[in-house]
Amino acid sequence: MRPAFFGKNAAQAGAFLLLLLAVPYALPNEYYLSICILGCLSAVIAVGLNLLMGYAGQISLGHAAFYGMAAYATAIATTRFSLPIPVGMALGVALSVAVAWVVAAPTLKLKGHYLAMATLGFGIIVSIVFNEAVDLTGGPSGYVGIPRLALAGYAFDTDRSYYNLMAVVLSLVVLSSLNLMRSRTGRALRALHVSEKAAASLGVDIAAHKRFVFVLSAGLAGLAGVLYAHYLSFIAPASFGFGFSVQLVVMVVLGGMASVWGSVAGAFFLTALPEALREFEDIDILVYGAILVLTIMFLPDGLAGGLKRLARRLGRRGEGA
Amino acid sequence: MLSGAPQYLVSGLTQGAAYGLIGLGFTMIFNTTGIINFAQGEFVMLGGMLAVWFAASGLPLVVAVLCACLATAVVGALMERLAIRPLAGAPAINAVIITIGVSILLRGGAMLAFGKDTVALPAFTGTAPILALGAAIQPQSLWVLAVTLALLAALKLFFAATIQGKAMLACACQQKAASLVGISVARMALLSFGLSGLIGAAAGAILAPITMTAYDVGMMLGLKGFAACILGGLGNPFGAAAGGLVLGVLEAFGAGYVASGYKDAFAFVVLLLLLFVKPSGLFGQAGVERV
């Protein structure tokens, strides 16, 4: 294992932040900016899910639950109990973290398809509660009137300001994830992915590391959830169902497992794709499915792997010339 | 308090038999290929929708149902040939994503072909309920149970008495060893996808007169089927059928005695509790993990 080059990570994340901040100047109108904001939100969750799935090798088909839980918690705290927004957000993230901590111990003992089923079941139960606990969540028609984000006297009430905030948040999440994966903990997580027994024999506390990365990824989903709630000011159970959990997994796989940048790319790609397909009306869902199938067939190691291979091939051609 | 019990038991067993059939479909594919096929629920949807379509185009009901099953078997085989086989050697998670992509394709295709309406298939033999033991039993419920039992018996025979069935069991047991004794693993994969399509479609068609059907019913039915085969112990076809029955009955009693809105949640709560206590399912054996 190479020594950690945290400085390199900071440089990459800094360049990424500048790129993100430059994007609005290239966009024709505000509508695209809102898609970019949703892309950043999904990217925050996907990067977190990749820490769990791509690096530590534990699948979760229920991550939309943590996203939704935090969103509902801050919505209820700031409207019904009139708590300040930062408190609501902290409560939301804390709820996701706490639930993940409790759920992690029995769940992460399971492996493979059993783990997939357990996380899936958990996600479905939570989304049914969002639908059925009408007094608390507003039921299927949703929860309205969530205040837009204001922090320290500054109101993030335009899409532009919210996008800038999301660019900073996403860059920080990316930087922390890159650093984490180059740290001792990150190496331990990758080791337990390859072989739990081998990792344990080297002194890695398997259960504690699995729980840590599960809670961390749930916390990131929660962070995205509270930011989503205070951005849209309206939330409904449909956004936090099994479909979105699956979409998050697809983002990670499509982007490339165990690649932080790949997850970011996968998240933006899958968020933008349905919007780009909107003009095809009813066949958009067919095209979406087809693109998904074809991408996995022809880019088996995801967008990140595909780009890496392309770069290598171009590099080789360059040397030859 | 227990007044509704016989009724709940009947409807639970009916629904559960269908879940069991769907779980059986999962198991067939899992055993030969190691893949969890997320398009299994779409096979069920196709069975129901195609049966309605064939029946509406003038075919007798029995013929329509058989045609729907065969057509879905072809769809399953095509899926294996076009989307799964080219993937050989890729990580299992990629195959799972492919099946999710195919399920989106099938759902979209069904929406375009049949529209977004909820449709019903006529009951096979009328709707006059049979009164027995304090429950009103729909004749269709008996059809569901009978078809499930017949399919289970046919599969048992297929595995025990035909060379193809034994070859498939061999693949499930050890793919490498199976191919060494001359079994074409690829052909068995094709066969298992075709059979899963057939079984899934049968479940969809026999259930359609009771619950109605639409282009988007596949996901929940697929998830319940997956739950049934996990409950029964993944890889054990008859465990999946039993798991489905348990799931259906739990669901019916939960909906009847606790709250009908949470109907879909009961099955999963029980499943989670079971997994936490016995991680290999009801009838599964704890796997030996290789280092």
Side-chain angles (χ1 to χ4, degrees), chain B residues 149-191:
Chain B
L149 284 177
L151 277 173
L152 276 175
L155 275 178
K156 187 95 191 162
L157 205 65
F158 172 71
F159 283 130
T162 70
I163 194 82
Q164 299 280 348
K166 286 179 181 164
M168 230 159 133
L169 280 185
C171 281
C173 200
Q174 242 286 5
Q175 283 207 5
K176 205 168 265 175
S179 72
L180 279 175
V181 297
I183 296 168
S184 163
V185 176
R187 236 196 46 229
M188 289 304 129
L190 189 71
L191 188 63

Side-chain angles (χ1 to χ4, degrees), chain A residues 9 12 72 124 180 192 203 211 220 282 288 292:
Chain A
N9 292 342
Q12 282 183 354
Y72 274 108
I124 289 184
L180 175 69
L192 77 83
R211 185 180 243 182
L220 285 174
D282 270 355
Y288 180 77
L292 204 58

Side-chain angles (χ1 to χ4, degrees), chain A residues 110 113-114 118 124 286 297 300, chain B residues 36 82 94 105 223 234 272 279:
Chain A
L110 302 168
H113 297 297
Y114 293 93
I124 289 184
L286 276 181
M297 283 175 90
Chain B
I36 290 293
L82 299 177
N94 285 20
L105 276 176
L223 292 179
L234 190 54
L272 280 187

Side-chain angles (χ1 to χ4, degrees), chain A residues 53 59 61 103 106-107 109-111 113-122 124-125 128-129 132-133 195-198 242-243 246 249-250 253 257 282-290 292-294 296-297 299-302, chain B residues 30 34-36 38 82-83 86-87 90-91 93-98 100-102 104-109 111-112 116 219-220 223 226-227 230 233-234 261-262 264-265 268-269 271-272 275-276 279-281 284 289-291:
Chain A
M53 256 179 67
I59 195 169
L61 281 171
V103 170
T107 306
K109 274 191 203 141
L110 302 168
K111 288 184 176 37
H113 297 297
Y114 293 93
L115 176 62
M117 185 71 232
T119 53
L120 188 162
F122 167 75
I124 289 184
I125 294 166
I128 290 173
V129 172
E132 294 298 325
S195 165
E196 291 188 13
K197 283 188 181 156
F242 175 63
V246 168
V249 171
V250 175
V253 178
M257 296 276 259
D282 270 355
I283 66 161
D284 60 351
I285 181 169
L286 276 181
V287 181
Y288 180 77
L292 204 58
V293 170
L294 293 175
I296 295 288
M297 283 175 90
L299 289 174
D301 40 5
Chain B
F30 177 76
I35 293 170
I36 290 293
F38 274 93
L82 299 177
L87 223 63
I93 182 82
N94 285 20
V96 171
I97 304 285
I98 287 275
I100 292 172
V102 171
I104 294 174
L105 276 176
L106 291 177
R107 202 177 315 143
M111 186 186 81
L112 284 184
K116 294 182 186 172
M219 189 188 278
M220 210 18 133
L223 292 179
F226 184 25
I230 291 285
L234 190 54
Y262 287 96
D264 289 330
F268 291 107
V269 170
L271 183 73
L272 280 187
L275 282 181
F276 294 161
S280 49
E289 200 198 342
R290 267 168 284 163
V291 179

Side-chain angles (χ1 to χ4, degrees), chain B:
Chain B
M1 178 67 191
L2 282 172
S3 59
Q7 193 67 57
Y8 299 146
L9 188 65
V10 170
S11 63
L13 286 177
T14 309
Q15 196 76 27
Y19 296 159
L21 277 186
I22 303 166
L24 209 60
F26 274 105
T27 311
M28 299 215 70
I29 289 179
F30 177 76
N31 274 345
T32 40
T33 62
I35 293 170
I36 290 293
N37 173 28
F38 274 93
Q40 192 66 36
E42 262 48 53
F43 292 165
V44 183
M45 175 275 291
L46 276 184
M49 294 302 279
L50 283 170
V52 171
W53 185 76
F54 280 123
S57 62
L59 290 177
L61 198 53
V62 182
V63 183
V65 169
L66 288 178
C67 284
C69 291
L70 288 178
T72 311
V74 172
V75 170
L78 280 176
M79 171 181 172
E80 195 279 334
R81 193 67 198 80
L82 299 177
I84 303 292
R85 196 176 299 181
L87 223 63
I93 182 82
N94 285 20
V96 171
I97 304 285
I98 287 275
T99 68
I100 292 172
V102 171
S103 81
I104 294 174
L105 276 176
L106 291 177
R107 202 177 315 143
M111 186 186 81
L112 284 184
F114 307 121
K116 294 182 186 172
D117 296 334
T118 298
V119 291
L121 191 66
F124 295 1
T125 49
T127 50
I130 302 157
L131 292 169
L133 303 168
I137 303 168
Q138 291 290 323
Q140 189 65 26
S141 293
L142 298 178
W143 274 106
V144 172
L145 291 170
V147 171
T148 305
L149 284 177
L151 277 173
L152 276 175
L155 275 178
K156 187 95 191 162
L157 205 65
F158 172 71
F159 283 130
T162 70
I163 194 82
Q164 299 280 348
K166 286 179 181 164
M168 230 159 133
L169 280 185
C171 281
C173 200
Q174 242 286 5
Q175 283 207 5
K176 205 168 265 175
S179 72
L180 279 175
V181 297
I183 296 168
S184 163
V185 176
R187 236 196 46 229
M188 289 304 129
L190 189 71
L191 188 63
S192 68
F193 267 87
L195 273 178
S196 288
L198 189 88
I199 297 170
I206 55 178
L207 205 57
I210 299 180
T211 56
M212 316 248 274
T213 187
Y215 78 101
D216 59 354
V217 297
M219 189 188 278
M220 210 18 133
L221 286 172
L223 292 179
K224 296 279 178 63
F226 184 25
C229 70
I230 291 285
L231 194 63
L234 190 54
N236 175 348
F238 303 100
L245 289 178
V246 173
L247 210 63
V249 171
L250 282 174
E251 211 175 81
F253 278 87
Y257 289 126
V258 191
S260 60
Y262 287 96
K263 172 177 156 285
D264 289 330
F266 290 112
F268 291 107
V269 170
V270 173
L271 183 73
L272 280 187
L273 293 178
L274 173 83
L275 282 181
F276 294 161
V277 180
K278 192 172 183 304
S280 49
L282 278 179
F283 307 108
Q285 286 163 352
V288 182
E289 200 198 342
R290 267 168 284 163
V291 179

